[in-house]
Amino acid sequence: MDLNFNKNEDFNKLQVAELRKRLLKVEKGGGEKRIEKHHAKGKLTARERIDYLLDNNSKSIEIGAFAGEEMYHEHGGCPSAGVVVKIGYISGKQCIVVANDATVKAGAWFPITGKKNLRAQEISIENKLPIIYLVDSAGVYLPMQDEIFPDKEHFGRIFRNNAVMSSMGITQISAIMGSCVAGGAYLPIMSDEAIIVDKTASIFLAGSYLVKAAIGESIDNETLGGATTHCEISGVTDYKATDDKDALDKIKNIFSKIGENEKAGFNRVTPSKPSEDPKDVYGILPKLRTDQYDMKEIIKRLVDKSEFEEYKANYGKTIICAYARIDGWAVGIVANQRKVIKNAKKEMQFGGVIYSDSADKATRFIANCNQKKIPLVFLQDVTGFMVGSKSEHGGIIKDGAKMVNAVSNSVVPKFTVVIGNSYGAGNYAMCGKAYDPRLIFAWPSARLAVMGGAQAAKVLLQIETATLKKKGEKITPEKEQEILKTIEDRYDKQTTPYYAAARLWTDAIIDPIDTRKWLSMGIEAADNAPIEKQFNLGVIQV
């Protein structure tokens, strides 16, 4: 291995170590003291509940661990959005679990909490995955009620989705394991079956204090909406559990009897490991996001036996299109090539840039994968489409539009891995979040923005200095550098993978070594939902 490989390896391993450190902090939820208080009530934490529920020694992936990261400082923060979401297995059956974290503001719903819950339901709907809600929440976080209550993608959408999912035949099971109040009470009761834990859980539209204020009735919360009330008097809940573990055992028992869904039928053979060491990725991926590397070497570390069949290998070389297998699953890979290369006309083409020929190739390949019912995997390290008079006169907008059209209308499941840069329209053409990937996740090396930092900073500097000059301020070279530094720092922060993950622009930041697991579990989930639409590109400029 050369010196550059070793430098890259050291840098990327430090990035992964930082990722693990941040995840450990997130997993503490509201902190040790609040966890101790939670345990003192005889309750498990959200993560402990999920760990107990899922099969021992089985694979799982967490959605939105960094949701809410460094947000809501003025409200004390909201680690992991106050809710834990994992895809895993119960009795060998894949499912998604949503658990309120009552150590974070008593499990109250912040705006990002609503977004994360809706994302969990979206994954369930798209893949027809059974979903389990472990409810322990004080309801909407009132100081921010205007940002969580009334809009289409707010709190109420959760219950609308409950109803739609039920009509689709998607299994929904709820366990009420703590507070469940006001509008939030509809979520478990709109599920197929509801379990309530005796003495520690309650469910009602209004608690005892509000009942007293509203109608003058004096009643305690247990009599108003405890397990005995709802299992023996109202009939609202279906099962009474003695404690958290008993409730989770009841879910396991129900799950063990669920029948199989019709499958989509994606092709899978016996899995094989890559022949090339996946850990080499740390040394291949450059420290600087502007440096070149060969994306084919990354692909070799992701696919079975390190083998792939490249489509139109000598045409449109800034995008690699290839058939391969990941953990046995057949996939079509669309990846940005990060090397400066020569095209057939001996012209130099910049790595990470989409040219007309590469967009044309990708469009055709995406259509082929749809015809063959092969899931698509996008490996993003893209700085955008090529600009300039030659590209404009050659119809880059038309060719780019064809690729965006193909991605938009694709009916096979799509999965996006943000390896490096994800800039501008390149983000869109390579199946960014707006284009409905079943899962989208990033490596610690990822950067998401409308354009690269250097270009953006220069543009923003011009705008800001022009504004200050109009106000009569004199801009010295020193002042200009000061403004530039402020802009660069702000822009750099806004393009980090953690900033994106906090806002759920991506589902997760992962160690590159875990990429195969994420893609395999994602395709397995997608295989639960047969494809019901035909692929049709619609009207395009040819």
Side-chain angles (χ1 to χ4, degrees):
M1 298 297 179
D2 61 22
L3 181 61
N4 197 46
F5 182 98
N6 291 335
K7 286 181 178 178
N8 290 339
E9 185 177 43
D10 289 345
F11 177 78
N12 286 311
K13 284 186 175 179
L14 283 172
Q15 294 279 86
V16 171
E18 174 65 16
L19 168 64
R20 289 175 182 153
K21 180 181 174 183
R22 288 187 180 225
L23 282 170
L24 284 173
K25 183 180 178 182
V26 160
E27 287 169 4
K28 295 294 183 184
E32 292 288 357
K33 289 184 178 179
R34 288 180 182 168
I35 290 173
E36 287 173 11
K37 288 181 179 178
H38 194 78
H39 284 160
K41 298 175 184 176
K43 297 162 71 174
L44 300 174
T45 66
R47 292 180 183 279
E48 289 167 344
R49 287 165 177 167
I50 293 176
D51 288 345
Y52 183 86
L53 184 61
L54 297 181
D55 293 345
N56 291 331
N57 303 316
S58 62
K59 296 184 296 182
S60 67
I61 55 177
E62 182 170 353
I63 304 297
F66 289 109
E69 175 91 346
E70 296 187 354
M71 296 169 66
Y72 313 118
H73 291 297
E74 66 277 25
H75 300 281
C78 186
S80 217
V83 62
V84 182
V85 176
K86 286 191 178 184
I87 299 175
Y89 301 86
I90 302 174
S91 298
K93 190 173 187 65
Q94 201 175 35
C95 62
I96 186 162
V97 187
V98 181
N100 298 116
D101 186 351
T103 71
V104 178
K105 290 286 192 298
W109 288 56
F110 284 70
I112 194 67
T113 315
K115 187 173 183 179
K116 186 170 174 179
N117 275 269
L118 287 170
R119 176 60 179 146
Q121 289 185 321
E122 180 181 40
I123 292 170
S124 174
I125 291 168
E126 286 181 330
N127 300 290
K128 291 187 167 58
L129 275 187
I131 187 167
I132 296 161
Y133 308 101
L134 306 181
V135 184
D136 194 346
S137 171
V140 165
Y141 183 62
L142 289 178
M144 302 188 74
Q145 64 85 26
D146 60 320
E147 296 182 48
I148 181 63
F149 172 66
D151 208 348
K152 180 178 179 180
E153 300 300 330
H154 283 177
F155 191 62
R157 187 78 172 181
I158 304 289
F159 319 129
R160 174 266 184 194
N161 285 351
N162 286 143
V164 170
M165 292 160 74
S166 182
S167 73
M168 293 174 66
I170 296 171
T171 296
Q172 299 177 85
I173 300 172
S174 287
I176 304 142
M177 311 181 84
S179 296
C180 184
V181 301
Y186 289 106
L187 184 146
I189 308 312
M190 293 186 74
S191 300
D192 303 330
E193 296 180 87
I195 301 152
I196 186 168
V197 179
D198 195 23
K199 300 298 186 284
T200 57
S202 57
I203 178 170
F204 34 64
L205 295 180
S208 57
Y209 292 125
L210 186 54
V211 168
K212 177 69 173 177
I215 62 172
E217 181 184 1
S218 295
I219 189 169
D220 63 90
N221 282 338
E222 181 64 25
T223 306
L224 181 66
T228 298
T229 294
H230 286 310
C231 288
E232 299 179 19
I233 300 173
S234 72
V236 165
T237 51
D238 305 305
Y239 309 92
K240 183 197 286 189
T242 55
D243 57 21
D244 280 10
K245 288 186 177 180
D246 185 36
L248 298 169
D249 285 337
K250 290 181 187 301
I251 294 173
K252 290 181 182 183
N253 189 39
I254 294 168
F255 241 77
S256 68
K257 298 170 179 64
I258 296 175
E260 287 295 320
N261 288 345
E262 180 186 354
K263 299 297 183 184
F266 301 125
N267 187 288
R268 194 181 195 189
V269 299
T270 302
S272 299
K273 293 180 179 179
S275 301
E276 303 286 347
D277 188 352
K279 292 180 181 177
D280 288 347
V281 166
Y282 298 134
I284 295 167
L285 198 66
K287 176 179 177 180
L288 298 176
R289 298 305 325 124
T290 52
D291 286 356
Q292 299 175 47
Y293 65 96
D294 190 349
M295 181 63 83
K296 291 180 185 179
E297 294 303 316
I298 299 288
I299 295 172
K300 287 177 184 177
R301 273 78 184 173
L302 296 179
V303 301
D304 291 12
K305 299 180 182 178
S306 299
E307 295 175 351
F308 58 91
E309 185 71 31
E310 192 171 355
Y311 174 78
K312 290 185 182 288
N314 296 312
Y315 177 74
K317 293 182 179 180
T318 64
I319 285 184
I320 300 164
C321 296
Y323 296 110
R325 290 189 182 274
I326 292 177
D327 199 34
W329 294 104
V331 296
I333 295 173
V334 181
N336 302 112
Q337 176 57 285
R338 284 291 296 160
K339 292 198 308 181
V340 174
I341 56 175
K342 287 184 179 180
N343 64 13
K345 298 177 183 177
K346 309 299 182 185
E347 297 170 336
M348 299 305 294
Q349 292 189 330
F350 298 102
V353 178
I354 302 176
Y355 291 77
S356 284
D357 54 357
S358 47
D360 177 66
K361 176 173 79 171
T363 301
R364 178 65 182 269
F365 182 72
I366 290 166
N368 284 346
C369 287
N370 272 272
Q371 185 184 53
K372 296 174 176 66
K373 204 160 74 171
I374 300 173
L376 285 160
V377 174
F378 293 83
L379 304 179
Q380 283 194 3
D381 195 345
V382 59
T383 53
F385 284 86
M386 190 58 190
V387 297
S389 60
K390 186 173 182 179
S391 291
E392 297 292 0
H393 296 169
I396 186 67
I397 295 175
K398 176 183 66 176
D399 292 317
K402 286 193 288 187
M403 184 175 174
V404 169
N405 196 314
V407 172
S408 302
N409 286 300
S410 179
V411 296
V412 295
K414 299 167 290 191
F415 302 88
T416 302
V417 187
V418 188
I419 289 175
N421 304 316
S422 180
Y423 295 156
N427 168 284
Y428 301 159
M430 291 295 294
C431 198
K433 183 67 180 290
Y435 291 80
D436 299 321
R438 296 292 177 97
L439 293 173
I440 176 170
F441 48 94
W443 291 1
S445 48
R447 289 290 208 187
L448 288 85
V450 71
M451 64 176 72
Q455 304 96 310
K458 289 174 184 176
V459 172
L460 291 167
L461 177 64
Q462 291 172 11
I463 294 169
E464 194 152 338
T465 53
T467 302
L468 292 172
K469 284 176 181 177
K470 284 181 181 178
K471 294 178 179 178
E473 292 191 35
K474 185 178 180 181
I475 308 299
T476 64
E478 293 76 17
K479 178 68 173 175
E480 189 173 274
Q481 283 303 308
E482 182 186 328
I483 295 170
L484 181 61
K485 178 69 165 58
T486 302
I487 290 169
E488 286 177 339
D489 289 346
R490 183 177 70 241
Y491 199 84
D492 282 347
K493 181 180 179 182
Q494 291 175 350
T495 61
T496 68
Y498 294 98
Y499 192 91
R503 289 151 183 81
L504 287 171
W505 301 343
T506 61
D507 291 317
I509 306 168
I510 70 163
D511 183 338
I513 303 304
D514 291 331
T515 303
R516 281 171 54 85
K517 178 177 78 170
W518 272 74
L519 291 172
S520 178
M521 287 187 68
I523 298 170
E524 182 184 351
D527 199 40
N528 286 300
I531 297 171
E532 297 172 352
K533 292 173 60 179
Q534 292 291 318
F535 177 66
N536 187 340
L537 276 180
V539 177
I540 58 172
Q541 295 285 342
V542 295

